[in-house]
Amino acid sequence: EWKEYINTEIGFSLEYPSKMTVDERNNRVNFSLWGPTQEADTEFFDGISFTVNREEYEKSLIDLVNQQIEDVKEIGSVIKEPEPVNVNDLDGYYYRIESLGVSTHMLFNVDGEALHISFVNPDPTNQGFEDIVNKMIESFNLVD
């Protein structure tokens, strides 16, 4: 069963599984779901953590992406270099990093601010987390 989530402060909507928890704070929304082998107070190794936030930036969007990648290189590595991405007619950049797990990042310019979607979805027991994340992204839209 899926629900629709709308956040007019950040300016987006998406669909998500009703079994996910939603945490809103500090201009950031996190959707999370633990897999069957995840344990409390341990490194995240089974489930989905999907975050959307908005932030100001001064230079170009690709400069922000490159700065984030440089920051990650201090503690991790880049798996996928930045490349253009389009989500429901919203153009931006996509990249993947490994630092305490593999995370995917997509950044878009929305009204002069960066809209940042990031997620991790380790799935050691084949629960279909990648399909869930893909459906969430496919349902993503901007709202006023």
Side-chain angles (χ1 to χ4, degrees):
E1 185 178 321
W2 288 66
K3 294 182 177 181
E4 181 179 23
Y5 176 85
I6 300 172
N7 184 305
T8 55
E9 183 178 328
I10 298 174
F12 77 98
S13 70
L14 59 70
E15 294 178 5
Y16 69 99
S18 59
K19 58 188 173 184
M20 289 186 112
T21 60
V22 180
D23 181 24
E24 303 170 304
R25 66 176 88 173
N26 302 328
N27 211 29
R28 173 184 307 265
V29 181
N30 182 258
F31 302 84
S32 59
L33 175 67
W34 281 14
T37 64
Q38 183 65 46
E39 299 173 8
D41 302 320
T42 64
E43 181 180 324
F44 189 68
F45 60 87
D46 184 7
I48 300 170
S49 179
F50 186 102
T51 303
V52 180
N53 68 292
R54 222 163 145 161
E55 59 191 90
E56 294 180 2
Y57 67 100
E58 296 180 10
K59 297 180 181 179
S60 69
L61 188 61
I62 191 63
D63 287 337
L64 176 62
V65 168
N66 288 331
Q67 181 59 57
Q68 290 179 354
I69 287 174
E70 287 304 312
D71 293 346
V72 166
K73 286 180 180 178
E74 295 178 16
I75 57 171
S77 60
V78 177
I79 296 173
K80 178 80 171 162
E81 292 290 336
E83 64 181 48
V85 67
N86 182 287
V87 174
N88 293 329
D89 295 326
L90 188 59
D91 291 320
Y93 296 96
Y94 153 92
Y95 65 93
R96 296 186 82 192
I97 58 173
E98 185 166 4
S99 171
L100 298 175
V102 175
S103 60
T104 301
H105 299 261
M106 293 184 278
L107 283 89
F108 307 93
N109 181 326
V110 177
D111 300 328
E113 293 184 325
L115 180 77
H116 188 170
I117 298 172
S118 60
F119 57 89
V120 296
N121 56 322
D123 195 2
T125 57
N126 299 315
Q127 300 293 308
F129 296 149
E130 183 176 357
D131 292 338
I132 292 170
V133 166
N134 287 339
K135 185 173 179 181
M136 291 174 73
I137 293 168
E138 288 170 10
S139 73
F140 186 90
N141 285 298
L142 295 179
V143 298
D144 292 329

